[in-house]
Amino acid sequence: MRKRRTLVLVMSLLAMLLLAACGSKDSSDKDSSETEKEKDVFRVGMEAGYPPFNWTQLDDSNGGVKLEGNAEYAGGYDVEIAKRIAEGLGKELVIVKTEWDGLVPSLESGKIDAITAGMSPTEERKKSIDFSENYYTSNFVMIVKKGGPYEGATSIQDFSGAKITGQLNTSHYGVIDQINGVKKQPASDNFSAMRVALESGVIDGYVSERPEGISATSANDHFAMVEFTDGFVADEEETAVAVGLKKGSGLADQINEILSGISEEERQEIMDAAIKNQPAAQ
């Protein structure tokens, strides 16, 4: 009787061990499959709120790409550049909508593989992350109310006494200090908020780059873009745009090779199309 009980117990233990081994194998296979899938994905972060570089839209029109974990899509110049990079890397593009201040932390933590968000490769940012070669270069402008006292400005000093702002943690905001007597306002989180502030008269203007200026004036007939003959002093790195990469990721050379295959003419065509296709509400 005891022998029979012992035999049953041994057989039960063997069955449990066999099931555990199978479960472990299945789990291992699943983990391996998920790891392989991740290797085939290029995760790009952007705020999707800085047209014509990037914006949020409701469908996939004009080449829009589905946002991860979101029913909406992203479009714009940065999206088109990200598409070409992902294709060149042989990977599937995944766009992660991320607040501006969260882009670098997301990159450093590995939540995203790159930043394509109209980001300038400043020396300060280079302390934290790497950058590709530039994929666009522009210049600073001021967005003001059409018909207002600042529409005819030719020098940044014409904005002495004006209430001016720019986006938080950008060179746009930093260069405001070059205006003597300016009433520098608190930095804004995003461009949509600045457009609302300008429309309502809370500010007299905000600093931007020419593509966004064209975008803003195209979207709102009440806005005008001021291009200066005596403008802001800025290094090229502050008006250029590059792909942000995690330190030591090893992607810079590959991405630079891909970017070198996009001619200046094609880049301008992509930007012109982005300006034309931007959602009017943004």
Side-chain angles (χ1 to χ4, degrees):
M1 192 71 173
R2 287 180 180 177
K3 289 182 179 180
R4 185 175 298 174
R5 287 179 179 175
T6 302
L7 181 60
V8 170
L9 180 61
V10 170
M11 290 179 68
S12 297
L13 287 172
L14 286 172
M16 290 173 64
L17 288 171
L18 182 61
L19 287 171
C22 289
S24 176
K25 183 176 185 299
D26 289 344
S27 176
S28 177
D29 289 345
K30 183 178 179 182
D31 290 343
S32 177
S33 176
E34 289 178 351
T35 301
E36 287 301 315
K37 186 176 180 181
E38 282 298 309
K39 288 180 181 179
D40 294 331
V41 168
F42 183 55
R43 299 170 64 82
V44 171
M46 62 181 68
E47 57 186 325
Y50 179 37
F53 284 98
N54 54 76
W55 64 70
T56 302
Q57 60 187 51
L58 299 177
D59 54 35
D60 62 357
S61 59
N62 301 312
V65 175
K66 188 82 162 52
L67 290 164
E68 183 181 58
N70 195 312
E72 297 174 313
Y73 294 74
Y77 185 83
D78 290 326
V79 173
E80 295 304 316
I81 293 297
K83 283 183 187 178
R84 284 160 173 76
I85 294 172
E87 182 181 358
L89 294 173
K91 297 188 176 186
E92 176 189 352
L93 175 62
V94 172
I95 295 182
V96 184
K97 187 173 183 177
T98 310
E99 290 295 326
W100 176 261
D101 273 1
L103 286 169
V104 171
S106 292
L107 183 65
E108 292 177 318
S109 67
K111 291 181 180 178
I112 56 176
D113 302 310
I115 299 170
T116 59
M119 182 174 279
S120 299
T122 63
E123 288 303 318
E124 186 62 30
R125 290 191 182 115
K126 286 178 181 177
K127 294 176 183 178
S128 303
I129 62 177
D130 291 335
F131 282 96
S132 69
E133 297 294 332
N134 301 337
Y135 64 85
Y136 196 83
T137 302
S138 185
N139 57 286
F140 291 129
V141 297
M142 190 80 77
I143 312 305
V144 301
K145 274 282 194 72
K146 184 179 286 186
Y150 300 102
E151 184 180 2
T154 58
S155 168
I156 61 172
Q157 303 309 333
D158 292 335
F159 286 88
S160 179
K163 294 178 291 184
I164 304 298
T165 190
Q167 189 178 30
L168 183 69
N169 293 332
T170 66
S171 50
H172 301 172
Y173 191 65
V175 297
I176 295 173
D177 295 331
Q178 296 177 24
I179 304 172
N180 298 324
V182 70
K183 294 179 180 178
K184 189 175 184 180
Q185 302 299 295
S188 181
D189 288 334
N190 56 68
F191 281 81
S192 294
M194 286 189 284
R195 292 184 183 186
V196 171
L198 180 58
E199 180 78 61
S200 63
V202 173
I203 58 174
D204 296 311
Y206 67 85
V207 178
S208 185
E209 292 177 62
R210 193 172 187 278
E212 194 280 333
I214 296 172
S215 173
T217 53
S218 297
N220 192 320
D221 292 337
H222 299 153
F223 292 169
M225 179 175 67
V226 177
E227 297 186 81
F228 302 105
T229 53
D230 179 20
F232 294 105
V233 177
D235 294 333
E236 182 182 335
E237 67 178 23
E238 295 179 320
T239 55
V241 170
V243 181
L245 300 165
K246 189 174 183 179
K247 281 283 186 185
S249 71
L251 284 172
D253 288 342
Q254 290 175 271
I255 290 175
N256 286 339
E257 185 176 352
I258 295 166
L259 292 176
S260 68
I262 309 173
S263 68
E264 286 300 322
E265 181 181 4
E266 185 179 1
R267 295 182 194 204
Q268 193 55 55
E269 288 174 354
I270 296 170
M271 179 57 77
D272 290 344
I275 292 170
K276 177 183 176 183
N277 295 330
Q278 63 169 338
Q282 296 188 48

